């Protein structure tokens, strides 16, 4: 897994650096792995789109103040979970949201979690919308609120630089150079000037 120091720095830079890394989820003797294709940065001290804007601390946001690398999992619309990793020094509320993935190991299990079918049985719509959104990421990787505040270093959920770092065979499709694009974050129309922050990174 990535060293904890990876998460202990500038959140926007970390969000960009996460693209192309691998999210690993382990449960019930199963290992799932997917490549990170889209992230967004959220920085509480100045970002009106962040749950902890102005360093607001509530029962929901207290995880954002945890040590770097901690998992922050919250619920949206009362039904979809979103996965973030806490960044910056402990006590500084900031995190990176995982918005998109490409499955790389045990793809059929990820497909079962999302659509109750194997990859080969997915229709065109399902293939297009497999893991292209934060709620879809959590559904496919079997991530729920029970993982909120999971500390850095847990084998249940972590990020690594290469699949081999998790004891998995590498994917030949991932050998090329990364073409990382930058844009505005999605779904934050309420955030005033923060709407225009170029804090989304994607392949």
């Amino acid at each position: 897994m990535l060293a904890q120091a990876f998460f202990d720095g500038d959140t926007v830079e970390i969000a960009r650096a996460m693209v192309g890394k691998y999210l690993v989820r382990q449960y019930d003797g199963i290992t799932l792995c997917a490549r990170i294709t889209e992230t967004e940065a959220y920085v509480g001290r100045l970002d009106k789109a962040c749950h902890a804007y102005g360093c607001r601390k509530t029962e929901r946001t207290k995880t954002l103040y945890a040590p770097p690398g901690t998992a922050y999992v919250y619920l949206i619309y009362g039904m979809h979970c979103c996965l973030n990793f806490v960044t910056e020094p402990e006590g500084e509320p900031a995190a990176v949201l995982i918005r998109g993935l490409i499955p790389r190991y045990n793809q059929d299990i990820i497909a079962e979690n999302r659509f109750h079918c194997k990859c080969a049985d997915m229709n065109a719509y399902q293939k297009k919308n497999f893991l292209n959104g934060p709620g879809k990421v959590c559904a496919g990787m079997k991530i729920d609120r029970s993982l909120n505040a999971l500390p850095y270093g847990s084998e249940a959920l972590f990020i690594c630089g290469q699949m081999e770092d998790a004891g998995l065979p590498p994917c030949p499709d991932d050998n090329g150079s990364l073409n990382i694009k930058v844009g505005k974050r999605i779904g934050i129309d309420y955030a005033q000037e923060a709407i225009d922050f170029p804090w989304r990174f994607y392949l």
Side-chain angles (χ1 to χ4, degrees):
M1 67 180 65
L2 297 176
Q4 189 170 24
F6 173 88
F7 301 95
D8 189 6
D10 181 83
T11 301
V12 177
E13 293 179 2
I14 294 167
R16 186 186 185 103
M18 272 192 195
V19 176
K21 301 292 192 292
Y22 295 86
L23 179 68
V24 180
R25 171 78 170 107
Q26 299 188 123
Y27 63 95
D28 299 337
I30 297 168
T31 298
L32 306 178
C33 179
R35 197 178 204 199
I36 298 171
T37 59
E38 186 176 2
T39 63
E40 289 180 346
Y42 289 86
V43 182
R45 64 182 176 273
L46 54 83
D47 178 11
K48 291 177 181 176
C50 182
H51 294 163
Y53 170 62
C55 295
R56 180 172 60 250
K57 194 170 187 178
T58 66
E59 187 63 27
R60 183 193 198 195
T61 65
K62 65 181 182 182
T63 304
L64 285 168
Y65 293 81
T70 301
Y72 173 45
V73 183
Y74 62 86
L75 201 63
I76 56 171
Y77 310 128
M79 57 190 300
H80 301 299
C81 287
C82 295
L83 170 65
N84 305 252
F85 285 92
V86 174
T87 53
E88 307 205 12
E90 183 175 1
E92 186 69 36
V96 173
L97 171 68
I98 308 299
R99 278 200 58 88
L101 301 173
I102 298 175
R104 285 296 183 247
Y105 187 78
N106 272 333
Q107 292 96 322
D108 280 339
I109 296 176
I110 299 173
E112 290 277 2
N113 290 340
R114 271 285 283 135
F115 299 119
H116 309 290
C117 67
K118 296 187 183 303
C119 286
D121 298 323
M122 290 195 301
N123 60 38
Y125 175 85
Q126 290 170 329
K127 290 176 181 178
K128 183 179 179 180
N129 295 280
F130 195 175
L131 301 174
N132 61 337
K136 300 169 189 178
V137 162
C138 286
M141 300 297 281
K142 208 172 180 65
I143 295 166
D144 59 26
R145 285 274 299 153
S146 69
L147 296 175
N148 183 50
L150 187 75
Y152 168 82
S154 172
E155 294 292 330
L157 184 68
F158 61 92
I159 295 175
C160 57
Q162 302 292 334
M163 292 181 66
E164 300 98 305
D165 298 339
L168 302 174
C171 177
D173 293 340
D174 297 343
N175 290 336
S177 60
L178 297 178
N179 179 19
I180 299 176
K181 298 183 178 181
V182 181
K184 298 177 184 179
R185 294 170 296 177
I186 295 172
I188 57 165
D189 295 342
Y190 55 86
Q192 298 179 352
E193 73 278 358
I195 293 172
D196 295 320
F197 292 177
W199 286 2
R200 181 168 68 97
F201 303 93
Y202 58 99
L203 292 179

